[in-house]
Amino acid sequence: MPGSRSRAPIPSREEEALWCFGGFSGESSALRPKDSRLLWSDTPNIWVSGQTSDSDVRCTRHGDRRIAVFGPNSVPDGELIRLGVEGVPDDAAWKWPGSYVVIEISSTGTSIWTDLCSAQPVYTLPVDRGTLWASSSRLLASLNGMHLDLDHLIHRLVASGSSLQAADRSYFADVSLVPAAHRFSLDTAGRSTTRPLWHPRFHTENHARRLRGALEEAVALRVDKAKVPSTDFSGGFDSTGLGLLAAERLHPERVIIGVTVHPAGVVEGGDIDYAREAASHPGIRHEWMALGCQHSPYQGISSVTPSDEPAPSTVAYAALSAQFQWMRDRFGCDHHMTGDGGDSLLTTPVTIVNDLLGSGRLPRAVAEVFRWARLRQTSAWQAWRSARGNREAPDTPGWLTGDALERLNSLPDGVPDRFGGDSTALKAVLNSMSEIGRSARSESQLAEPFGIQLHNPYTDSAVVNSYLSIHPKRLPSPSHYKPVMAEAMRDLFPDRLLRRTTKGDASSDHYRGIRNALPEIHELMDGALSDLGLVKPDSLRHSVSRAAAGTTTHLSSIKNAVSTEIWVRALRAAPPVAWIASEKEIR
């Protein structure tokens, strides 16, 4: 990678080995990171690194078959033994509660069963006479010069969510992502095959009960193994649901720390009132964390640690890191849950209109368009275009270079169909959840240096499988606010929360944050992205200044530009990863 001209370099830091697993299949000598350790002393082609717990790495072996389950899971011991004896069934990745992948190694090669949301992503890198695979794209890229996938970066710069178009790629050249809900197989020569495994199994009733049961098991898996469990407690459906289910599980012997962050001096109104009312439930220790100016978006972003991709919370790192440190130092929290993924899973996309039209239900399709238009305060015509998938293309930022625009125009359109089926609504949910699950892994990498494991139960395969057992014909209206979740939690949610129909908006905080950090952001603009030939620094500074003045609505593209710039700088500042030959270890 070319050297950076940035004028605000990230300070160098010692980097600890983060949680990761991987392996090799091929005809040459296997490689592994120097700080890793073999899972079995006589098996050089599978390893793990970083701090792990017994519930995050489960192993068994029978004859020449070795089975590993990586990630939080509650696979019963007897079932784990059965996997070793009989082999892995294709429903293994969503059969039990948790967020995990299953690996089988035998004399014929390696097979990997990925989860439904890429919440435990698996990446691959072809090497001489073989294929390396690992749960960290950055780790694999360190063997390949850390070269970036510029097309993927451009997708991200244009608009949030556009990287769905590169769903089988990473942010690094030649490092590929194994798709969610697939079986990836490598023979002993390192040749690969990939096959989709999952499709929705529809049920006609008890959807709320099924969702409640899956969430109860997902929460129990986290809080049972935590010394001091905690959760976001924002006042919305998703985080509040996790906190209340955890309280039900732990009370009366233990409590869950429910963390509500709020602007300093603001102790009532909006989300705060919902959080306070819900926190009166037994088993919740409600704690308030006040955020000051130093925690505003775009503050402290030069301290962001490297991850596999730009983390969603990059520009909010000052608040995020302060919260992690506060929870760890004050309460000793070690496992923290968030409600990430709940919005995408539990809210029906407006593209359900296409399913309604395809099944001949024109009156309901028209009614849904008008309801959605009223909810979004837009015209029925624009709502119809969105429902039909004909959204206006996002405005191309004027600060992209000519080379970047040329690359952008040559990229294919559309989202890959990795799950089959006829429902456009289900495909939209699944693609969105895969994006959220994978990007949430980068969030958890930000939490690890603070000694906190970050969990997102709504991306658990069993939870997703449970909710998507609803037939597309029976999915709720896009204009209704998570009715299945409301019914599932009716006995625990306060009445006022059950009547909630919207969620909070933090856009004003981001505009204010840009204004407060404007000089620092301006300095960032002549840096890594400029080096890579993707942005015009002066033009980008002008766009940032307009955002600081509140005269532009293109907040997402500016946020993406800043977070991507910070991410590339963090990669360049990180110490190199050393790899070694992975020979058998004799103990």
Side-chain angles (χ1 to χ4, degrees), residues 385-405:
R385 286 179 56 83
S386 296
R388 296 293 286 166
N390 295 324
R391 291 188 199 172
E392 302 253 347
D395 291 338
T396 302
W399 37 261
L400 284 180
T401 64
D403 288 344
L405 287 172

Side-chain angles (χ1 to χ4, degrees), residues 157-158 396-401 534-537 539-540 543 557-558 561:
L157 292 175
V158 172
T396 302
W399 37 261
L400 284 180
T401 64
L534 302 183
V535 306
K536 296 181 287 187
S539 180
L540 183 51
S543 293
S557 61
I558 291 174

Side-chain angles (χ1 to χ4, degrees), residues 14 103 139 147 174 188 339 395 531:
E14 294 296 325
I103 317 291
L139 204 64
H147 296 298
D174 301 323
T188 54
D395 291 338
D531 285 346

Side-chain angles (χ1 to χ4, degrees), residues 169-181:
R169 299 160 71 168
S170 75
Y171 280 84
F172 299 96
D174 301 323
V175 179
S176 300
L177 173 69
V178 179

Side-chain angles (χ1 to χ4, degrees), residues 207-209 211 346 467 470 476 481-489:
H207 301 303
R209 185 185 306 171
L211 176 63
L346 304 175
Y467 186 78
I470 305 174
Y481 188 66
K482 305 177 183 177
V484 178
M485 182 65 171
E487 181 60 30
M489 299 294 295

Side-chain angles (χ1 to χ4, degrees), residues 137-452:
S137 58
R138 180 171 67 95
L139 204 64
L140 291 178
S142 67
L143 280 169
N144 199 32
M146 298 295 285
H147 296 298
L148 299 172
D149 184 334
L150 297 186
D151 290 346
H152 205 158
L153 285 179
I154 293 168
H155 268 300
R156 177 178 173 82
L157 292 175
V158 172
S160 59
S162 64
S163 56
L164 286 173
Q165 295 175 324
D168 60 345
R169 299 160 71 168
S170 75
Y171 280 84
F172 299 96
D174 301 323
V175 179
S176 300
L177 173 69
V178 179
H182 279 61
R183 184 176 70 192
F184 177 75
S185 299
L186 290 163
D187 64 17
T188 54
R191 295 181 293 260
S192 67
T193 58
T194 307
R195 185 167 73 88
L197 298 178
W198 180 88
H199 61 84
R201 276 78 169 174
F202 300 126
H203 298 276
T204 58
E205 57 186 13
N206 295 329
H207 301 303
R209 185 185 306 171
R210 234 185 313 273
L211 176 63
R212 171 70 173 265
L215 284 173
E216 285 178 341
E217 291 180 325
V219 168
L221 171 62
R222 273 69 180 201
V223 299
D224 285 356
K225 70 175 183 178
K227 293 179 180 178
V228 183
S230 58
T231 185
D232 289 343
F233 209 72
S234 68
F237 270 28
D238 306 328
S239 64
T240 303
L242 298 179
L244 292 174
L245 291 175
E248 288 283 293
R249 176 75 176 183
L250 297 172
H251 183 73
E253 288 82 9
R254 302 172 65 199
V255 297
I256 180 84
I257 306 290
V259 180
T260 299
V261 297
H262 64 99
V266 179
V267 294
E268 60 183 17
D271 291 346
I272 292 175
D273 292 342
Y274 289 111
R276 179 181 289 107
E277 186 173 357
S280 62
H281 194 87
I284 294 178
R285 177 178 171 180
H286 195 199
E287 296 291 344
W288 301 83
M289 179 181 174
L291 299 179
C293 293
Q294 72 274 25
H295 303 126
S296 297
Y298 300 92
Q299 296 291 324
I301 50 179
S302 61
S303 300
V304 176
T305 51
S307 53
D308 285 332
E309 61 184 78
S313 294
T314 296
V315 301
Y317 186 72
L320 185 74
S321 58
Q323 181 182 345
F324 290 151
Q325 193 68 52
W326 178 77
M327 292 191 305
R328 184 67 182 178
D329 292 348
R330 186 165 180 179
F331 310 110
C333 298
D334 58 341
H335 288 72
H336 184 75
M337 296 186 295
T338 83
D340 289 353
D343 287 337
S344 293
L345 178 63
L346 304 175
T347 303
T348 304
V350 71
T351 51
I352 189 69
V353 166
N354 295 299
D355 297 344
L356 297 172
L357 292 173
S359 58
R361 289 175 290 167
L362 179 61
R364 186 189 163 190
V366 173
E368 293 294 0
V369 168
F370 277 94
R371 290 192 192 105
W372 197 80
R374 286 195 299 270
L375 181 68
R376 294 301 181 95
Q377 298 182 329
T378 188
S379 69
W381 170 244
Q382 187 57 47
W384 173 258
R385 286 179 56 83
S386 296
R388 296 293 286 166
N390 295 324
R391 291 188 199 172
E392 302 253 347
D395 291 338
T396 302
W399 37 261
L400 284 180
T401 64
D403 288 344
L405 287 172
E406 186 176 341
R407 280 179 173 271
L408 180 64
N409 293 331
S410 67
L411 296 177
D413 294 326
V415 176
D417 182 1
R418 295 173 289 130
F419 300 100
D422 299 324
S423 171
T424 57
L426 286 183
K427 290 177 183 178
V429 172
L430 287 164
N431 279 307
S432 179
M433 291 302 295
S434 296
E435 178 79 4
I436 290 169
R438 194 206 67 250
S439 62
R441 174 62 188 137
S442 62
E443 296 276 273
S444 68
Q445 289 173 333
L446 298 186
E448 283 186 48
F450 296 89
I452 292 177

Side-chain angles (χ1 to χ4, degrees), residues 65-100:
R65 180 184 291 121
R66 289 156 173 77
I67 303 294
V69 183
F70 291 110
N73 71 88
S74 57
V75 181
D77 291 340
E79 290 296 309
L80 183 65
I81 294 172
R82 186 187 299 274
L83 296 180
V85 175
E86 300 179 1
V88 180
D90 280 344
D91 64 350
W94 65 88
K95 189 174 184 178
W96 299 286
S99 175
Y100 58 89

Side-chain angles (χ1 to χ4, degrees), residues 557-577:
S557 61
I558 291 174
K559 175 183 174 183
N560 287 343
V562 174
S563 62
T564 306
E565 172 72 31
I566 288 297
W567 177 70
V568 178
R569 290 181 180 222
L571 290 179
R572 292 175 170 180
V577 178

